[in-house]
Amino acid sequence: LDARSVPGVVVHSRADRTILPAQTEALAAAHPALDVHWLEGVSHDDTPRAAREDEGSRSAIQRAFGL
């Protein structure tokens, strides 16, 4: 099984300065089955909380897991 064909989701903030958005973009380019959902204006440490509160993030995660 080629890992690049396995669906997945990444929730990332465009304001993250710990893991730069360009790194997530490169990951997504290398793994076409990966769904990237972007948050705006959220720091690295606040991304988990923001993802739980963001409807788009929750929907992306639910789609990835078939929920």
Side-chain angles (χ1 to χ4, degrees):
L1 180 63
D2 184 350
R4 293 171 295 176
S5 67
V6 177
V9 65
V10 172
V11 178
H12 197 132
S13 173
R14 293 195 187 277
D16 194 327
R17 295 298 165 239
T18 303
I19 300 172
L20 299 178
Q23 292 171 296
T24 296
E25 290 166 353
L27 179 67
H31 297 274
L34 193 63
D35 180 17
V36 179
H37 180 77
W38 292 101
L39 299 170
E40 301 294 335
V42 179
S43 72
H44 179 81
D45 291 339
D46 290 333
T47 296
R49 176 199 48 78
R52 284 190 306 273
E53 295 173 358
D54 179 71
E55 180 60 36
S57 296
R58 288 195 309 268
S59 294
I61 293 166
Q62 290 171 341
R63 278 192 311 273
F65 288 99
L67 301 175

